[in-house]
Structures are given as C-alpha cells and as structure tokens.
Amino acid sequence: MHRRALYCVGFVTGLLLLGVGCRTAPWRTSDANDRSRLWQPRDGHYARPEEPIPEAEPEPQKTTELSLAYARWMEGVGNLIEARRHYQEVVDEHPEHVDALLGLARIDQLSGKTQEAEQGFLAALRVQPDSPVALYSLGKFYESQERWSEAANSLNKAMLAAPTDQQYRYDLAVALVHTGNLRAAENHFTRSVGDAAAHYNIGLILHEMGQTDAAEQQMLMAVTKQPDLQNAQYWLDEIRREREAGWAMQESLADSGTTIPGVIQQTSHEEPAHTAARPPRSGHSVDANPPAPTRMLTPQQLQQYQNQR
C-alpha cells in the first residue's frame, strides 16, 4: 500500500519536473513581454513568423481628363501623331466628347486636311449647337481659310453665347472689317480695346486689304482721339509716304511716256514699287516706343500699352 502511494507521488513529481523543463527549453524565449514572438533555433539565428506579402498597388487608371491633357500637350509641342492618338482614344470611349472632337479637327487642320477639319468642327457643333467654344473654333477655321462671311457668322454666334469673352468679340470685329461692315466692326473693337485702338485696328486691316484712303481716315481718327497712340501715328505717316511715292512714280512714268495698264488707276489701292523702308508686318508687340508697330492692338496688348504710359 505504501509502495503504491510512493509510486504515484513519484510519477506526479516527474510530470511536474518535465513540464518545467519544457517551459525553460533553450530554443524558445521565455520573456512573456516579448511581442515580436521571435523563435531561436539551435544555431542562434532569429526568424520572424511568416507574414503575408502585401499586394502591389494598382496602377492609376487613364482618365479622360488625363488623356485630354496629354493630347493638348502633344498638340502644343507639335507632336500631332501622339495628339491625334490620345484625342481619338477619348472619342472612342466618349463619341460625343466636344473637346476631343475639336482636338481632332484642329489636328486635321494643322495636318492640311481642310475638308476633314471642317467636318470635325461641324461634328462638334452637332453635339452641342450652342457651345461657344465650338462656334468660335469653327469661326477661326473659316478665318484661316479667308471665308470671312462664314467666319463672321460663326464668331457672332460665339460672342452671343459668351458675351463677356473679349477675345470672341475682338475676332468678330476682325472678320467684320473683311466683310466691309465697318460700323459693326468699330462697335465690337471699341468694346474690346477702346475707341482710338478700334480705329487703329480697322485702319491696319484696311491697309493690308489695299484700301489705303479708308485706312488713312481710320488712322487719322485714331490719333485725333488719342494723340499718344504711336502705332496709329506711325502708320498714318507711312500711308502718306506711300501716297507720295506713288505720286512720284506716276510723274516719272508720265515724263517718260511709259504707261503700265492698271498701275496709275490703282495707285491708292496697290503698294507702290518703291516706298520708304518698312519692317515686316509681324513679330512686334505694342510698347512705349514702338520701333515699327505692325499689328493690331489686342485686349492684352492694349492693357500692356496703358500700363507703360
């Protein structure tokens, strides 16, 4: 009886000692506060339990706005192939996207595809008939083709759709001068760049059209209303020099008995064979002392000119 009890006590004691030995095994840390749960193999190296590898973040999707922005950038730097591809991607996904349709039309125009460009501008208008941007773009296209009546019609609609946009009104005035509607052109020029600058702009267009007498009258009105408008004074003097040179040429031809059909009769409408030296018609902006004012005053140029006075 006593021997059996001793066996039981010994067996229980052995189990207890075995449990203590397992808890203090050298290949596992015994720190209860160790949150890293590091395991220590017998070779002394540590290793963390395996963790799931995070999935890679998905690439951002190509949005319509991003494609349009990239297309405009490519158009701006002259990469028409890339610009067309991205505009077309937007149209393929959104067939009635006006900005993308206008972009494709502009690319066709820049590529010399006149008919395709016109159809592209008209397609944009069919989607949004009252869109001022689409109307303005079509008007500028007609202007580039010197289809002035059509340009004036489209630009007038654009101006009516966005009456506060001074650029629309300004370009409408340019087209109206070419159609011969000087009264309406003066009104829109005056509202966009001011009274004196309106006469200057009309006079410069008329001069380029060969209507020298009418151009002189406009320049004279410009300097009368604003004597310090040096651009107008320059061209007023230039027109008069041209006229004097034309008269001198006529007298020379008369003295020599030489006549050239059409030259004398059109002296006031054609540039004379020899005039005072004149700079090219492009490349000069309006400043306080313009060496050679050669282009119209835009709303932005007029503001710059007034700030320098």
Side-chain angles (χ1 to χ4, degrees):
M1 181 69 179
H2 292 288
R3 181 178 299 177
R4 181 177 299 177
L6 288 176
Y7 282 146
C8 290
V9 171
F11 179 75
V12 171
T13 301
L15 289 176
L16 291 176
L17 290 176
L18 180 61
V20 173
C22 292
R23 291 179 59 189
T24 59
W27 53 83
R28 186 175 181 182
T29 57
S30 59
D31 187 358
N33 295 324
D34 184 8
R35 298 181 179 180
S36 63
R37 308 299 296 170
L38 297 179
W39 291 82
Q40 182 183 9
R42 293 184 182 276
D43 56 5
H45 295 288
Y46 291 87
R48 291 182 180 275
E50 292 186 0
E51 297 179 357
I53 300 175
E55 296 182 0
E57 296 184 2
E59 295 183 359
Q61 295 182 353
K62 184 183 295 184
T63 64
T64 299
E65 291 74 15
L66 182 61
S67 295
L68 278 176
Y70 187 77
R72 293 191 189 102
W73 178 38
M74 290 291 98
E75 180 183 353
V77 300
N79 191 337
L80 303 185
I81 296 177
E82 278 295 296
R84 181 188 297 278
R85 184 169 70 85
H86 284 80
Y87 280 132
Q88 189 63 57
E89 286 180 357
V90 177
V91 172
D92 290 341
E93 186 173 355
H94 307 285
E96 296 188 346
H97 199 292
V98 173
D99 289 341
L101 290 171
L102 292 175
L104 286 176
R106 289 194 304 271
I107 298 302
D108 283 333
Q109 183 180 356
L110 292 171
S111 302
K113 301 178 180 179
T114 305
Q115 294 182 351
E116 291 85 346
E118 182 175 3
Q119 292 305 313
F121 290 121
L122 292 173
L125 269 179
R126 284 193 292 271
V127 175
Q128 290 186 11
D130 298 326
S131 167
V133 176
L135 288 165
Y136 178 75
S137 299
L138 179 62
K140 293 296 288 182
F141 167 76
Y142 287 142
E143 177 184 309
S144 70
Q145 302 299 306
E146 298 186 356
R147 296 161 60 177
W148 295 109
S149 295
E150 294 167 286
N153 180 55
S154 186
L155 291 171
N156 184 61
K157 292 179 180 179
M159 185 272 300
L160 293 175
T164 60
D165 194 309
Q166 296 302 318
Q167 190 63 51
Y168 291 3
R169 189 179 296 277
Y170 176 89
D171 288 324
L172 170 60
V174 173
L176 288 171
V177 176
H178 284 88
T179 64
N181 193 344
L182 300 187
R183 185 182 298 274
E186 180 184 343
N187 175 54
H188 291 298
F189 268 139
T190 300
R191 295 180 64 176
S192 58
V193 296
D195 194 10
H199 291 293
Y200 165 75
N201 284 348
I202 294 173
L204 190 58
I205 296 173
L206 291 173
H207 182 267
E208 293 178 344
M209 294 171 64
Q211 301 180 26
T212 309
D213 293 340
E216 181 182 15
Q217 294 175 6
Q218 293 291 331
M219 294 299 179
L220 182 59
M221 285 190 285
V223 297
T224 300
K225 294 183 177 182
Q226 187 175 334
D228 62 345
L229 186 55
Q230 298 179 34
N231 293 54
Q233 186 62 59
Y234 171 89
W235 277 106
L236 180 61
D237 296 340
E238 186 67 14
I239 290 170
R240 290 171 174 174
R241 282 194 295 267
E242 290 178 1
R243 177 175 290 105
E244 292 174 359
W247 288 340
M249 182 180 66
Q250 291 183 36
E251 293 176 358
S252 175
L253 293 173
D255 291 341
S256 65
T258 304
T259 59
I260 302 178
V263 173
I264 295 178
Q265 293 84 346
Q266 298 180 11
T267 300
S268 62
H269 300 286
E270 301 290 341
E271 292 192 4
H274 176 71
T275 62
R278 185 174 68 206
R281 291 185 181 274
S282 61
H284 296 281
S285 59
V286 176
D287 54 32
N289 297 293
T294 57
R295 68 183 186 188
M296 294 180 292
L297 288 168
T298 65
Q300 295 81 7
Q301 290 172 334
L302 180 65
Q303 185 63 48
Q304 178 186 3
Y305 173 75
Q306 292 174 339
N307 292 338
Q308 292 174 340
R309 290 174 54 188

